[in-house]
Amino acid sequence: MNLLSSSDMEVDEELSKEIESDDYKISVKGKKIKGEEALLFQGTLTIEKPDGTVVTIPIYGECGC
């Protein structure tokens, strides 16, 4: 898959990534919702399929040490 665009969460606490192959296009968009000892992230994962259908899934993530 090829990276089409990418933004880093460091700039405005929002993240976006877009990748594609010959058949699929996938994008992740979201923002930081909390960032003390652990980083909490909330957004959407969107998949565009070869038949033209689009699936959007809410995502939530947490990371920390």
Side-chain angles (χ1 to χ4, degrees):
M1 298 193 101
N2 298 314
L3 180 65
L4 297 177
S5 67
S6 178
S7 73
D8 194 352
M9 213 179 321
E10 296 295 321
V11 176
D12 56 5
E13 297 188 351
E14 292 188 4
L15 170 84
S16 70
K17 304 267 185 208
E18 291 186 68
I19 58 175
E20 74 174 358
S21 69
D22 292 337
D23 297 321
Y24 291 89
K25 183 175 180 182
I26 299 172
S27 65
V28 176
K29 296 181 189 233
K31 65 180 188 171
K32 181 167 78 170
I33 56 175
K34 186 177 177 186
E36 294 172 11
E37 287 188 28
L39 170 71
L40 301 178
F41 173 86
Q42 185 173 354
T44 58
L45 171 69
T46 303
I47 302 168
E48 296 179 32
K49 298 180 180 184
D51 64 3
T53 59
V54 177
V55 177
T56 301
I57 304 165
I59 57 173
Y60 177 84
E62 179 179 353
C63 66
C65 51

